Amino acid sequence: CWCQNLKTSIIEIICNQELDNIHFPKLGFYLKNDSIYKLTLNKKSYTHLLNFSMKNIKISDLNLDQNQLVLIDYDAFYGLNMLKTLILSNNKLSFISIDTKNLQSLTELNLSHNQIKILCNRSFIGLAKLKVLNLDSNQIDQIESNAFSDLVNLEKLNLGNNFLQIDKNSQMFSS
């Protein structure tokens, strides 16, 4: 891995080596508690993000683009209270199973180019600060009526290149 200082208190970490199924119980021990990190672990062959993988690490941006992620454990993002940007694009996720209540500071979520088929009721519970949600190029063919109900500050939603058929009389996007 290599690091670069972006600002006085922000450090970017970019890893070019494989880390065992993204489990960092010791990473928090080595990182300074007073710094905020941007963590990029993309273009790897990770398949599984384990529970409590990044507990006690101050991360503002997490980029897991272009991996082989099939499964993200429910509490994988536990303790990431400062996370603002989460990029999970270009993986093999077929559903959203994460505890989004742990991501209350999140303002941008990119789930594009995965294999998501359905957005269940309250899929994004607790993400009241989310402004940008990218679900482009999935296989979404069904959105349950309250899937976006917690996204009260959403400014940009990308559902392009999916299998949706929108009923013009639907109440889904009404205020």
Side-chain angles (χ1 to χ4, degrees):
C1 299
W2 60 276
C3 301
Q4 65 181 5
N5 283 331
L6 299 176
K7 294 181 182 176
T8 310
S9 64
I10 298 178
I11 299 170
E12 182 172 26
I13 300 172
I14 300 173
C15 280
N16 294 321
Q17 59 189 1
E18 296 290 326
L19 299 172
D20 186 29
N21 267 331
I22 315 181
H23 196 340
F24 303 114
K26 295 180 183 175
L27 188 58
F29 178 77
Y30 295 106
L31 301 178
K32 296 180 193 174
N33 288 335
D34 57 342
S35 295
I36 300 170
Y37 296 89
K38 291 187 173 197
L39 185 57
T40 299
L41 297 165
N42 61 351
K43 299 179 183 175
K44 305 283 181 270
S45 58
Y46 302 132
T47 58
H48 185 191
L49 188 59
L50 302 171
N51 279 331
F52 312 109
S53 294
M54 293 167 237
K55 184 179 176 184
N56 300 323
I57 303 173
K58 294 179 183 176
I59 300 176
S60 66
D61 299 78
L62 179 57
N63 182 347
L64 296 169
D65 178 54
Q66 295 182 21
N67 281 287
Q68 303 293 317
L69 285 173
V70 175
L71 180 62
I72 298 176
D73 286 352
Y74 185 75
D75 280 323
F77 301 115
Y78 180 85
L80 295 184
N81 303 329
M82 299 180 75
L83 192 65
K84 297 203 180 301
T85 302
L86 178 57
I87 301 171
L88 295 167
S89 56
N90 296 294
N91 280 289
K92 296 181 177 182
L93 299 171
S94 58
F95 56 93
I96 301 167
S97 65
I98 57 176
D99 183 6
T100 53
K101 291 179 286 189
N102 284 314
L103 301 173
Q104 294 178 1
S105 296
L106 202 66
T107 58
E108 182 176 345
L109 176 58
N110 187 339
L111 289 162
S112 67
H113 299 276
N114 275 287
Q115 300 169 3
I116 299 168
K117 296 180 183 186
I118 184 171
L119 297 178
C120 298
N121 284 328
R122 304 196 71 198
S123 291
F124 306 101
I125 189 169
L127 297 182
K129 293 183 180 178
L130 196 70
K131 293 182 179 183
V132 178
L133 177 58
N134 189 349
L135 292 160
D136 180 52
S137 299
N138 276 282
Q139 300 169 11
I140 300 170
D141 62 5
Q142 182 180 352
I143 300 175
E144 293 183 0
S145 60
N146 291 319
F148 303 114
S149 63
D150 285 7
L151 303 180
V152 294
N153 288 303
L154 193 66
E155 296 172 2
K156 183 177 179 183
L157 173 63
N158 187 347
L159 287 166
N161 300 307
N162 279 290
F163 304 126
L164 291 172
Q165 294 182 355
I166 304 294
D167 177 1
K168 293 179 184 178
N169 298 319
S170 172
Q171 299 295 314
M172 182 181 307
F173 299 107
S174 63
S175 47

